[in-house]
Amino acid sequence: GLIKTLQEMGGAITIHNERIENGEKIGDIHVKTSPLHGITVPAERAVSMIDEYPILCVAAACATGTTNMLGLAELRVKETDRIQAMEDGLKLCGIEVSSTHDAMTVTGANKVSGNAHTEQIIKTHHDHRLAMSALIMGLGAQAPVSVDDVGMIATSYPDFFGHMAALGAEIA
């Protein structure tokens, strides 16, 4: 679901060498830098990408135009209320965002300001997806992005910090 959504937003993403391994469809994903634009993500897609909405919010923040994400009520009852947590974090970084019980709207700024200019830190609520998404947002932000906790990331993605450093991130 996330790959399809990013492609609809203008993402230059192709999949080569598609195959089935251990009953799972896999392939080699090739991504090129490309400008993204806002879209409406239909409610019926939510089930195929429910855990990817935090990172989709980051993509939407970096896109031009408005991205509407529908059918998100389940995100209110994950590890934390991910809709509210993402809304709070995006707002701290200068992004226009609003939500209802089961939807979220992000108006892309094309440039994310970051939150280092404030004394406020993005709260991750001990949610690894929120923490990783916020730190990834920092890669394209005009100022550093600060989060309150990164300890839980190693449990789900032990190589995250090494991969981030390879992309130029300086995480302290």
Side-chain angles (χ1 to χ4, degrees), residues 13 90 147:
I13 302 170
L90 290 169
V147 298

Side-chain angles (χ1 to χ4, degrees), residues 16 32 37 58 74 84 89 91 102 106 168:
H16 302 279
K32 292 182 181 178
H37 60 271
V58 171
E74 184 179 333
Q84 188 63 57
K91 284 180 178 177
D102 68 346
V106 177

Side-chain angles (χ1 to χ4, degrees), residues 54-59 62 112 122 128-141 143 145 147 153 157 160-161 163-164 167 169 171:
I55 197 62
L56 178 59
C57 286
V58 171
C62 296
V112 176
I122 295 174
H128 58 124
R129 293 183 197 279
L130 293 173
M132 289 186 288
S133 295
L135 293 172
I136 289 169
M137 184 167 49
L139 286 174
V145 170
V147 298
I153 294 174
Y157 188 175
F160 178 79
F161 298 103
H163 290 153
M164 289 291 288
L167 293 171
I171 299 176

Side-chain angles (χ1 to χ4, degrees), residues 22 27 52 54 58 77 94 126 131 141-142 154 167:
N22 299 321
E52 283 74 39
V58 171
V77 294
H126 308 290
Q142 295 174 326
L167 293 171

Side-chain angles (χ1 to χ4, degrees), residues 16-35:
H16 302 279
N17 193 24
E18 290 185 55
R19 59 204 180 274
I20 303 293
E21 285 190 17
N22 299 321
E24 295 283 336
K25 184 177 176 181
I26 64 169
D28 302 324
I29 301 173
H30 296 255
V31 180
K32 292 182 181 178
T33 300
S34 51

